[in-house]
Amino acid sequence: SLWIDCFFAYYQNKLKLALIGQSLFGQEVYTNLRKQGHKVVGVFTVPDKDGKADPLAVVAEKDGTPVFKFPRWRVKGKPIPEVVEAYKAVGAELNVMPFCSQFIPMNVIDFPKHGSIIYHPSILPRHRGASAINWTLIEGDKKAGFSIFWADDGLDTGPILLQQECPVEPNDTVDTLYNRFLFPEGIKAMVEAVQLIADGKAPKIPQSEEGASYEGIQKKSNAKVNMAQPAEVIHNWIRGHDKVPGAWVVIDGKPVTLYSSSMLSGSVPAGQPVEVEGASQPGLIAKSGLILFGSDGKALQVKNLQFEDRNMIPASKYFSSDEDASLDLTDDEKEMAEKIRAIWKGILSNVPVIDDTTDFFKSGAASMDVVRLVEEVKQKCGGVQLQNEDVYMATTFQSFIQMFVRRLRGEDQEEELLIDYVTKDVNNMTVKMPHQCFINGNFEDAEDGKTYNTVNPTDGSVICKVSYASVADVDRAVSAAKEAFDNGPWGKMNPRDRGQLLYRLADLMEEHQEELATIETLDSGAVYTLALKTHVGMSIQTFRYFAGWCDKIQGSTIPINQARPNRNLTFTKKEPLGVCAIVIPWNYPLMMLAWKSAACLAAGNTLVLKPAQVTPLTALKFAELTVKAGIPKGVINIVPGSGGLVGQRMSDHPDIRKLGFTGSTPIGKQIMKSCAVSNLKKVSLELGGKSPLIIFSDCDMDKAVRMGMSSVYFNKGENCIAAGRLFVEESIHDEYIRRVVEEIKKMKIGDPLDRSTDHGPQNHKAHLDKLVEYCELGVKEGATLVYGGRQVDRQGFFMEPTVFTDVEDHMFIAKEESFGPVMVVSKFKDGDVDGVLSRANNTEFGLASGVFTRDINKAMYVSERLEAGTVFVNTYNKTDVAAPFGGFKQSGFGKDLGEEALHEYLRTKAVTVEY
């Protein structure tokens, strides 16, 4: 019975339609109306142009629908009788006019039972006339939209059937508005309107004349830009005339048409001045395009310029256009040119001869022909990859060949990234280290020129000076990230393509693994073998893992109660947040960068990252590799500097939508407060810890000693999840301590680049001093210092591996983490499982924990009751890119790694559709 109900629902209230119009829009409306069960009894469209049928005619003829191609419906204002009779003969009950450029007589408009409906791309009564989308932008409207109205004898004045609207984005163009909203939603609305008419539910709402406007089609002669206006007004004028007829100005005495305008955010880039007639100040030819200034002093940016000979160039190439006039081709290039000539001939079959002056679009090519041209060139001409925009920029055959040859030779690639490296011959290699801020794809000094020293902890020497970013630098970085997210290729990229870029980045990190590990050792004191395997090795794994997630981020469909007699579909979408800030610590500089930024980028966000002030160098080297990987400009920005300045500005910035932080609990609280006060930005925090490790007497002693030492001394104790306190069962306590001390005495302390070194220097001098104070306080409180507790008597920031016993619960060293190589050991009575659990959980932290026992029941009992984000059983420090990582209580919230990390950088949108 359900099938029968659906059958009758499909076929009841369906109409016989005449489609009068043209274009891809008309084609899609036609196709979707037929899918809904309506019968199209005739299609009335324009005649073939240059031997090519209109898309609506093509699909209708393929379906066997009667197609009529009348050049006109009227002569001298009077209907042509044979045309009208041919129309009446199809017997339509409704005329549907999705896009029609012809004047249709009223005896055709009114003939069907239900009359005629028309699609118009504005919110009527505003912007009546044929250039509605253009004038929506020219007038600076904040809303755009479309109307479907009942045709009458006026010009776009008939009663409204339905309307829909959308916001106009600051840099929208006619194309983006049309493609994003007016085209897809307009098709759906035309189908909806027809069904409303069929069901007898279609309203007829008279148009008000209040707010009504009519604007005609703009001509080139009156599209000149008035430069004596604010920048936003100029921008609106340019984008409203893009692509037809094109707004123009006079530059250096010559008329030049302007395309692809956007408002300039951030500081004005350096450039070469050009004289712009009527402007308050000269324009600038910069790397990013032509910078124009309004009367209000604000700036806009124009990407492309077209000259009187219709040759179009990137605005950045304005001063080099003369030398781009011609190229001498080699024999092989001439052969390629002939192949391309044959491709052009195949597409432009109506053109007898393809010569140098043949214009692709003037010869009748459309947007689908552009795709075909790009793909055929790729297939038949050595795999040279062009973009659709390349065709629009080189429309004549000669200019296309010139562009193709430059691409073939690699001459038109973007300027090579300029890096002022600091180089060092060390570790049997020459390492090349960037040291400036990385903003919008370029390395550059801080705006105020300030720098600071980054120091090698092995000997206290200065490695190099690093740019000390200011608030203005953060603002520029955020602006670049926002532009990249809103308008750059990153936001429009297919997720799978985004994943390929991240895979490529991981491959480059692997190619540079030894150099990255060497820089990490120099800057952070990490033992080289550990840096190679963990600091860098896990970073590579992290990017590969999240690269694989890019095309697997999915929403879900949700069954909800139906709004009868209609039906509903509810689904969720996972969307990126926008610009994210990431603040990382100094203990694992590259790995912490990878843990957060890989998930952030996989989700489709852009980012501004502040490395720890004392360890910026691997982050800046990473930035260099992102350029080589092809990550678009502005997607990743690195601003070294102080937490109080750079980190605080990130917390406060209104355009940042998420901040991920790893560091201390007090700073995490301050960040959370600033993020709430500024714009309620989303926050994830991985903060301090005092991770308990419980060692029972039934453990594997060898493993417990080895893993217990690793839990404390791994990475010199500079480890977020380090076991801050060991609880050892009384019956094995003394033996356990004896064996630990024996193993410590075997550890080699020394140069971290020496492959046999076990224990390197602490990260920086201030941290070493705090560790010495921490140990002195432990002794003062009455704990037993069994081993170490002092700075090593050698050059650099070395701390002895240390062991404290007899640590009581009230002591400072029992409650606060050292973040260094200090083992803090307390006994617990044999068999007192609940007692030791109570002591282990008696902390405000909850990052990690561990238990060693051969009793699986005991292990599961303890693991269920330990209040920590991670519990290790008979192991320690075993993290993996696929396993979520994060703390409880004052160790923070949110997860790094695993699928859960993606959700930290996504938002969920619920969409409910009624049909």
Side-chain angles (χ1 to χ4, degrees):
S1 63
L2 178 61
W3 184 88
I4 294 171
D5 289 344
C6 292
F7 179 85
F8 282 112
Y10 182 80
Y11 282 103
Q12 69 183 354
N13 300 332
K14 302 301 176 184
L15 298 176
K16 290 189 281 187
L17 308 173
L19 245 75
I20 305 175
Q22 63 209 71
S23 77
L24 284 170
F25 185 77
Q27 180 193 80
E28 288 296 318
V29 171
Y30 164 87
T31 301
N32 282 274
L33 285 170
R34 291 184 78 246
K35 284 181 181 177
Q36 292 298 313
H38 298 287
K39 182 174 178 59
V40 180
V41 294
V43 165
F44 299 84
T45 187
V46 294
D48 296 354
K49 182 180 179 182
D50 297 323
K52 289 192 172 188
D54 183 81
L56 174 57
V58 171
V59 70
E61 287 171 341
K62 190 179 294 183
D63 292 335
T65 302
V67 176
F68 304 85
K69 301 178 182 179
F70 301 132
R72 62 189 64 83
W73 292 71
R74 304 185 306 177
V75 173
K76 296 182 179 178
K78 294 183 179 180
I80 302 172
E82 55 268 32
V83 172
V84 174
E85 288 307 311
Y87 159 76
K88 290 181 177 179
V90 302
E93 297 172 313
L94 173 70
N95 291 333
V96 179
M97 302 167 70
F99 175 76
C100 183
S101 61
Q102 297 176 312
F103 286 101
I104 310 301
M106 285 307 300
N107 58 342
V108 171
I109 295 289
D110 294 336
F111 179 78
K113 172 184 175 181
H114 296 291
S116 303
I117 60 170
I118 302 177
Y119 171 89
H120 185 78
S122 80
I123 306 170
L124 292 172
R126 189 162 172 79
H127 303 311
R128 294 168 177 164
S131 297
I133 312 176
N134 305 74
W135 283 99
T136 297
L137 295 174
I138 292 169
E139 293 289 329
D141 293 358
K142 300 303 181 187
K143 291 181 180 179
F146 58 78
S147 306
I148 297 172
F149 67 96
W150 300 91
D152 64 4
D153 59 358
L155 189 61
D156 303 331
T157 56
I160 301 297
L161 195 160
L162 64 81
Q163 291 181 318
Q164 289 186 25
E165 62 183 39
C166 71
V168 178
E169 301 296 335
N171 292 318
D172 261 332
T173 64
V174 172
D175 284 348
T176 60
L177 261 182
Y178 187 70
N179 293 330
R180 185 179 80 244
F181 184 79
L182 300 175
F183 181 86
E185 298 304 320
I187 293 163
K188 297 174 193 173
M190 286 296 282
V191 175
E192 180 187 351
V194 170
Q195 192 58 52
L196 286 170
I197 295 168
D199 295 338
K201 298 178 181 179
K204 290 188 176 181
I205 305 167
Q207 285 193 44
S208 169
E209 287 305 305
E210 184 179 346
S213 64
Y214 172 82
E215 298 94 1
I217 297 174
Q218 280 290 83
K219 296 179 180 178
K220 192 74 174 183
S221 57
N222 58 14
K224 185 178 181 182
V225 181
N226 175 7
M227 294 299 297
Q229 300 180 95
E232 187 174 355
V233 176
I234 297 171
H235 164 59
N236 289 337
W237 183 265
I238 295 170
R239 64 177 175 152
H241 288 81
D242 190 343
K243 302 257 190 296
V244 177
W248 57 281
V249 293
V250 175
I251 298 178
D252 294 336
K254 298 176 183 178
V256 178
T257 305
L258 313 175
Y259 295 105
S260 299
S261 167
S262 59
M263 291 299 294
L264 185 68
S265 56
S267 57
V268 176
Q272 193 169 346
V274 290
E275 197 63 39
V276 181
E277 186 179 280
S280 58
Q281 64 186 94
L284 295 173
I285 300 296
K287 288 181 181 179
S288 55
L290 168 63
I291 310 299
L292 297 174
F293 298 91
S295 59
D296 56 354
K298 294 182 179 179
L300 61 142
Q301 180 174 280
V302 175
K303 187 176 179 182
N304 300 319
L305 306 177
Q306 187 177 50
F307 301 101
E308 285 184 289
D309 61 2
R310 301 195 60 77
N311 181 38
M312 186 181 286
I313 64 165
S316 60
K317 303 291 186 183
Y318 177 79
F319 286 112
S320 57
S321 58
D322 290 341
E323 62 196 49
D324 288 346
S326 62
L327 292 172
D328 292 327
L329 306 189
T330 65
D331 290 342
D332 287 343
E333 289 165 349
K334 288 176 182 177
E335 187 177 331
M336 286 282 194
E338 289 310 309
K339 286 184 181 179
I340 294 172
R341 193 186 302 274
I343 294 170
W344 276 52
K345 179 61 180 171
I347 296 171
L348 305 175
S349 56
N350 54 302
V351 178
V353 178
I354 305 294
D355 60 27
D356 287 350
T357 62
T358 301
D359 188 289
F360 194 66
F361 297 102
K362 288 181 180 178
S363 300
S367 57
M368 278 305 298
D369 298 314
V370 173
V371 176
R372 176 180 166 183
L373 176 57
V374 168
E375 290 303 313
E376 278 204 67
V377 167
K378 179 181 177 182
Q379 182 184 44
K380 298 176 180 178
C381 299
V384 175
Q385 181 64 64
L386 305 179
Q387 303 297 324
N388 291 359
E389 188 174 329
D390 294 327
V391 184
Y392 292 108
M393 297 283 284
T395 61
T396 66
F397 183 73
Q398 182 185 39
S399 62
F400 187 88
I401 292 298
Q402 299 283 305
M403 177 273 297
F404 172 83
V405 171
R406 285 193 179 87
R407 184 66 49 83
L408 189 66
R409 296 176 181 178
E411 293 177 2
D412 66 346
Q413 294 177 356
E414 288 195 13
E415 293 180 20
E416 186 178 349
L417 179 65
L418 298 177
I419 306 177
D420 179 26
Y421 288 115
V422 171
T423 61
K424 284 193 179 295
D425 293 321
V426 62
N427 201 23
N428 299 314
M429 68 181 77
T430 300
V431 293
K432 300 166 69 176
M433 298 174 286
H435 60 96
Q436 298 164 292
C437 299
F438 182 73
I439 299 173
N440 202 27
N442 295 302
F443 285 102
E444 50 194 63
D445 292 336
E447 190 166 285
D448 57 12
K450 287 185 178 179
T451 62
Y452 70 96
N453 293 333
T454 187
V455 172
N456 183 344
T458 301
D459 58 12
S461 64
V462 173
I463 301 171
C464 64
K465 290 188 177 296
V466 176
S467 292
Y468 189 79
S470 65
V471 167
D473 296 310
V474 176
D475 290 347
R476 287 191 299 119
V478 173
S479 177
K482 189 172 189 303
E483 175 66 18
F485 182 81
D486 291 341
N487 302 308
W490 188 252
K492 304 177 182 70
M493 192 176 292
N494 289 326
R496 197 162 297 161
D497 295 335
R498 189 165 65 241
Q500 287 302 315
L501 289 180
L502 295 184
Y503 276 125
R504 192 181 306 162
L505 177 56
D507 290 344
L508 283 165
M509 292 171 71
E510 191 167 54
E511 287 177 28
H512 291 262
Q513 186 166 359
E514 292 184 352
E515 184 180 20
L516 286 165
T518 302
I519 296 171
E520 193 88 322
T521 297
L522 290 175
D523 207 23
S524 76
V527 171
Y528 176 75
T529 50
L530 180 67
L532 200 64
K533 179 183 181 295
T534 302
H535 288 237
V536 182
M538 193 174 187
S539 300
I540 295 165
Q541 292 176 28
T542 303
F543 272 99
R544 287 206 173 115
Y545 173 81
F546 283 108
W549 267 110
C550 289
D551 61 354
K552 300 171 187 68
I553 298 170
Q554 301 176 13
S556 58
T557 55
I558 303 169
I560 65 169
N561 289 342
Q562 307 294 336
R564 295 179 180 176
N566 297 315
R567 298 179 66 79
N568 295 102
L569 168 66
T570 295
F571 60 93
T572 60
K573 296 173 64 181
K574 295 290 187 179
E575 298 179 340
L577 301 172
V579 180
C580 297
I582 292 174
V583 181
I584 56 174
W586 43 258
N587 57 327
Y588 294 105
L590 187 63
M591 194 172 79
M592 292 296 100
L593 176 153
W595 280 23
K596 294 188 187 300
S597 63
C600 174
L601 295 168
N605 301 285
T606 58
L607 64 88
V608 179
L609 182 141
K610 190 196 90 65
Q613 184 172 343
V614 291
T615 54
L617 295 181
T618 44
L620 295 171
K621 187 67 181 181
F622 167 83
E624 177 193 343
L625 299 181
T626 68
V627 176
K628 292 181 178 179
I631 306 290
K633 288 184 176 183
V635 173
I636 296 170
N637 304 272
I638 312 286
V639 278
S642 73
L645 197 68
V646 174
Q648 186 62 50
R649 179 54 180 158
M650 288 177 168
S651 302
D652 294 336
H653 203 293
D655 288 334
I656 290 175
R657 294 297 169 192
K658 159 73 196 278
L659 193 148
F661 171 75
T662 296
S664 73
T665 297
I667 298 299
K669 290 179 178 180
Q670 179 60 43
I671 284 174
M672 192 173 176
K673 180 179 178 181
S674 297
C675 288
V677 170
S678 58
N679 62 342
L680 271 180
K681 57 176 64 71
K682 190 175 181 179
V683 180
S684 57
L685 304 171
E686 195 253 280
L687 306 176
K690 188 66 176 174
S691 301
L693 174 58
I694 303 173
I695 301 174
F696 287 100
S697 59
D698 60 355
C699 69
D700 177 334
M701 180 64 83
D702 290 341
K703 191 173 186 181
V705 169
R706 187 174 69 254
M707 290 290 185
M709 291 184 64
S710 174
S711 75
V712 176
Y713 303 125
F714 188 82
N715 199 47
K716 311 145 342 185
E718 296 168 354
N719 188 18
C720 306
I721 57 172
R725 192 174 182 194
L726 274 67
F727 294 93
V728 181
E729 201 159 10
E730 193 169 26
S731 60
I732 63 167
H733 175 273
D734 293 348
E735 182 189 356
Y736 186 85
I737 297 301
R738 179 183 61 78
R739 291 182 60 173
V740 165
V741 172
E742 283 180 0
E743 293 301 317
I744 290 175
K745 291 176 179 178
K746 298 175 187 176
M747 292 172 64
K748 180 179 178 181
I749 302 173
D751 181 358
L753 288 172
D754 185 330
R755 298 333 188 240
S756 63
T757 294
D758 298 301
H759 188 78
Q762 304 309 134
N763 188 276
H764 51 281
K765 181 66 164 60
H767 181 52
L768 172 65
D769 293 343
K770 285 183 180 179
L771 287 173
V772 172
E773 289 177 13
Y774 184 92
C775 292
E776 289 172 350
L777 185 57
V779 172
K780 186 176 180 180
E781 284 190 310
T784 301
L785 178 61
V786 176
Y787 192 90
R790 298 180 300 274
Q791 180 177 353
V792 177
D793 185 17
R794 60 169 290 159
Q795 188 181 34
F797 311 143
F798 292 84
M799 178 74 184
E800 293 178 337
T802 299
V803 179
F804 276 103
T805 60
D806 302 319
V807 178
E808 298 178 15
D809 293 353
H810 68 275
M811 293 179 177
F812 178 84
I813 64 172
K815 294 186 289 186
E816 298 296 330
E817 70 175 331
S818 67
F819 212 64
V822 182
M823 181 179 284
V824 176
V825 185
S826 299
K827 293 179 188 176
F828 68 95
K829 291 181 180 180
D830 291 349
D832 188 11
V833 177
D834 290 326
V836 73
L837 272 171
S838 177
R839 295 172 71 190
N841 286 329
N842 186 24
T843 173
E844 278 301 303
F845 300 108
L847 188 57
S849 60
V851 55
F852 278 84
T853 176
R854 284 191 173 98
D855 184 340
I856 187 62
N857 292 321
K858 187 189 296 181
M860 296 306 296
Y861 180 87
V862 171
S863 66
E864 287 174 6
R865 286 160 179 77
L866 282 169
E867 298 170 0
T870 297
V871 180
F872 297 109
V873 178
N874 294 328
T875 188
Y876 209 89
N877 287 326
K878 179 55 183 170
T879 54
D880 188 88
V881 294
F885 179 93
F888 296 166
K889 299 188 284 190
Q890 291 198 45
S891 288
F893 51 83
K895 298 295 183 183
D896 291 328
L897 303 180
E899 181 181 358
E900 287 198 38
L902 286 168
H903 301 306
E904 300 295 331
Y905 296 94
L906 292 165
R907 63 187 183 189
T908 302
K909 177 182 286 183
V911 180
T912 298
V913 181
E914 188 165 292
Y915 59 98

